[in-house]
Amino acid sequence: MMRLRQAGDGAMLAEFSDRLDPRAVADVRALDVALNDAAPDGLIETMPSLRSLLVLHDPLRLSARRLRALLEGLADNLADIAIIGRQWLIPVCYDEEFALDLAEVAATKGMSTAEVVRRHVSATYTAIAVGSFPGLPYLGGLDPALVLPRRVPPRILVPAGTVAIALEMSNIYPQATPGGWNILGRSPVPLFNPGWEAPSLLSPGDILRHRAMPRAEYDALLAGFGDGSLLPHETCRA
């Protein structure tokens, strides 16, 4: 259910959940599309986030009362707006060299490392947001049995391609950056390139699954993506 909050004279916040929820992500995207399609006079900008949509408006042309009525009317029909995210299959190598925290995660959860990997690749993830660092996806849908807090302290540098989990999410680091998530493996798939038409491979609402692969395949894919003989848009579409 949508909750509307006034956020100043020229802004209104439409909230759909108080937690990480793929359904809320879908509702935010649907409302964003519906509102921009309606294009009311006085609409300035919309800013979608994990579970809410911030609407900036000119109060002299689009009053808060009229905007509220418009948003409530649009929210009643969100189920009729079909926004289907692209589907991806992203390979991951869980070899010990890449899986810096896999053994610790397994011990903490009372599982074997193979069971942790099995649960990680069995999940279906939804990109609930992309950002923080260019192309970094926040992937909801992690198996509840793998939920863990972030590491304290975080690592100063996490290699590009690192696949890691924290809280109720999984992610893939597009660049080498600091990070405090629990590292399970590494993917050779590039997620961000400013030379692409859309620089980020993944977008909010996209659906993603993983498959485990051996080190030899990782090396071959890394070389192919590196020299341009392979393109992730073609190789990794499910």
Side-chain angles (χ1 to χ4, degrees), residues 63-221:
S63 69
R65 179 179 297 179
R66 284 205 305 124
L67 178 58
R68 177 178 291 271
L70 175 59
L71 291 172
E72 289 174 342
L74 294 173
D76 289 339
N77 299 292
L78 294 184
D80 298 331
I81 302 174
I83 301 177
I84 301 174
R86 297 169 300 171
Q87 299 194 31
W88 304 92
L89 182 61
I90 304 294
V92 180
C93 181
Y94 296 91
D95 276 15
E96 184 177 355
E97 178 185 353
F98 299 146
L100 302 185
D101 300 319
L102 179 57
E104 183 177 336
V105 169
T108 299
K109 291 299 184 178
M111 304 176 188
S112 66
T113 56
E115 177 65 8
V116 172
V117 171
R118 186 193 70 78
R119 288 179 179 271
H120 191 249
V121 299
S122 295
T124 298
Y125 301 95
T126 299
I128 57 179
V130 177
S132 153
F133 294 105
L136 175 68
Y138 291 87
L139 304 172
L142 181 67
D143 187 317
L146 298 181
V147 171
L148 284 168
R150 293 183 176 92
R151 299 181 64 85
V152 179
R155 290 181 170 91
I156 295 175
L157 193 65
V158 175
T162 292
V163 175
I165 59 174
L167 306 177
E168 300 172 356
M169 296 180 289
S170 183
N171 77 8
I172 309 168
Y173 287 74
Q175 304 94 22
T177 61
W181 291 40
N182 303 280
I183 296 173
L184 300 186
R186 194 176 299 175
S187 175
V189 179
L191 298 187
F192 183 84
N193 186 329
W196 293 338
E197 182 177 355
S200 176
L201 181 68
L202 303 178
S203 300
D206 283 1
I207 306 300
L208 182 149
R209 292 181 64 91
H210 288 306
R211 68 174 178 85
M213 65 177 175
R215 177 59 186 271
E217 183 183 0
Y218 170 91
D219 291 338
L221 288 176

